[in-house]
Amino acid sequence: MSSAGARTAAAAAGGRAGAARTVAPWINACSLLLCASSVLFQGAEGAIGVNYGMIANNLPSPDKVIAMYKANNIKYVRLFHPDTTVLSALRGTGIGVVLGTLNEDLAQLASDESFAASWVASYVKPFAGTVTFRYITAGNEVIPSDLGVHVLPAIRNLEAAIRAVGVTGVPVTTAVATSILGTSYPPSQGAFSEAAAPVMVPLVAHLLSKNAPLLVNVYPYFAYAAEPETVQLGYALLAGSSATSNSKVVSITDGGLVYTNMFDAIVDAAHAAVEKAGVQGLELVVSETGWPSGGGATGATVENAAAYNNNVVRHVVAGTGTPRRPGKAVETYLFAMFNENQKAEGTEQHFGLFQPDMTAVYPVDFAGSY
């Protein structure tokens, strides 16, 4: 489906205030069928992490939060911006860390090598060796937008700054929303939009040359909430990954590949888009995925959120991969650790796995055993 005929639904703030979470054009396309039935980068097979968002005024102190990660056997964390208190709490824990830059810093990171050097000197060099950095992300969900043109130059400057201080094995990348896709259904037809392609094509080529992954934020929830009368809930919830689910699992077939859930379909649409840009073998990491447990919107219930996140964990830990990449588990980060009271009212305040008082909103088995 072309972007001209696609319906796009914008949600409120994503990982940070002001970062829009957007539903790509696979909503309408999915509806058509769903009403019926390395040296630097070593992919973490079956790895599950959790985004640590901080847009709230009532969260536990970072040392308590990191203790929660350890107690729940959460081995990876994604930070949306550098915070030295959090980084200090992560010292010696062995927890893999995805460290993001602020979107508003992108232009200066891209244009000023000394600023990139200062950023690395402040947030990477002092912690290297005691904090396990997995990736540095230059921006979150800024492609396509006016900030998008700064992503690749910022990545290059950060790479140079990291090399200059003698730190190795930390790829620099960015996180994108599915709004980069102009065509996404069927998954094999995934392609970058006209607006995103001028940035994405050279970006993915660069990432491949550096053996770095592309981070993609994947949200079946928004597709379901936009068209609940046509998008099957079980397909959005990965019901086929639940050992206890009695739901009829809808499947779609694309060139001989069978998709039983929307998570895989979105990831493979992104794979196809990268390949159509002339890049083969680029790794994808799902840097955000989740389901709201409240907020009054369609499908935003504790039951659905618990089902989705546990099914995602089970699916990822099983290591089955996607139909386009069978047997290649997708490193995946759930969104988010806490319900955040300073985000936009509605569902955006209800993506947390835990309440600010550290009690679970619902149980999640991070080992994927149930």
Side-chain angles (χ1 to χ4, degrees):
M1 172 180 258
S2 69
S3 57
R7 183 178 307 168
T8 302
R16 294 190 61 259
R21 191 177 294 135
T22 307
V23 179
W26 34 262
I27 293 177
N28 281 351
C30 287
S31 306
L32 298 177
L33 285 184
L34 296 184
C35 55
S37 36
S38 84
V39 174
L40 289 179
F41 171 64
Q42 298 288 334
E45 296 295 330
I48 289 289
V50 179
N51 288 261
Y52 178 7
M54 292 177 253
I55 305 178
N57 59 11
N58 58 353
L59 297 183
S61 61
D63 59 324
K64 291 180 179 178
V65 174
I66 301 309
M68 290 176 65
Y69 273 76
K70 293 173 66 178
N72 286 279
N73 200 30
I74 303 169
K75 297 180 179 179
Y76 299 88
V77 60
R78 180 180 174 213
L79 306 176
F80 291 96
H81 65 275
D83 186 305
T84 55
T85 304
V86 176
L87 290 170
S88 294
L90 283 160
R91 287 185 187 273
T93 62
I95 294 172
V97 179
V98 180
L99 178 62
T101 71
L102 291 168
N103 286 348
E104 52 262 40
D105 286 342
L106 275 175
Q108 194 169 1
L109 285 167
S111 63
D112 187 346
E113 293 178 1
S114 64
F115 181 74
S118 175
W119 193 96
V120 168
S122 297
Y123 305 119
V124 179
K125 183 180 179 181
F127 301 96
T130 58
V131 171
T132 307
F133 289 112
R134 282 202 56 75
Y135 325 113
I136 304 297
T137 58
N140 181 53
E141 296 189 341
V142 299
I143 305 169
S145 77
D146 291 343
L147 285 176
V149 296
H150 301 301
V151 170
L152 185 50
I155 287 175
R156 290 189 170 119
N157 282 344
L158 286 167
E159 288 170 342
I162 290 170
R163 285 195 305 270
V165 297
V167 174
T168 60
V170 185
V172 185
T173 181
T174 192
V176 297
T178 48
S179 52
I180 60 168
L181 300 175
T183 303
S184 55
Y185 186 86
S188 62
Q189 297 304 304
F192 296 133
S193 69
E194 291 184 6
V199 172
M200 290 303 302
V201 171
L203 172 63
V204 294
H206 177 82
L207 294 177
L208 183 68
S209 74
K210 298 297 183 179
N211 203 17
L214 175 67
L215 275 56
V216 183
N217 298 340
V218 173
Y219 284 97
Y221 168 72
F222 292 114
Y224 171 73
E227 296 192 17
E229 69 284 356
T230 51
V231 176
Q232 290 283 339
L233 180 60
Y235 188 80
L237 289 176
L238 290 83
S241 298
S242 173
T244 59
S245 174
N246 295 317
S247 302
K248 179 180 178 181
V249 179
V250 175
S251 64
I252 62 173
T253 301
D254 176 20
L257 300 179
V258 178
Y259 289 85
T260 59
N261 66 79
M262 190 180 285
F263 178 92
D264 283 350
I266 297 170
V267 172
D268 276 357
H271 275 302
V274 170
E275 291 169 7
K276 284 183 177 62
V279 172
Q280 302 292 323
L282 181 68
E283 297 283 353
L284 298 185
V285 169
V286 174
S287 41
E288 293 181 31
T289 194
W291 196 285
S293 62
T298 299
T301 68
V302 170
E303 180 182 25
N304 286 343
Y308 180 79
N309 282 310
N310 279 289
N311 288 343
V312 166
V313 173
R314 187 179 299 107
H315 183 53
V316 170
V317 170
T320 53
T322 67
R324 199 175 181 94
R325 296 287 185 276
K328 181 64 176 175
V330 182
E331 181 178 343
T332 298
Y333 293 75
L334 303 181
F335 187 89
M337 194 66 172
F338 296 104
N339 285 335
E340 298 169 65
N341 67 352
Q342 292 183 317
K343 300 194 76 173
E345 291 186 7
T347 58
E348 286 294 316
Q349 294 186 359
H350 296 274
F351 272 86
L353 307 178
F354 294 90
Q355 301 286 5
D357 65 3
M358 301 189 290
T359 60
V361 178
Y362 47 84
V364 176
D365 175 17
F366 295 100
S369 58
Y370 68 78

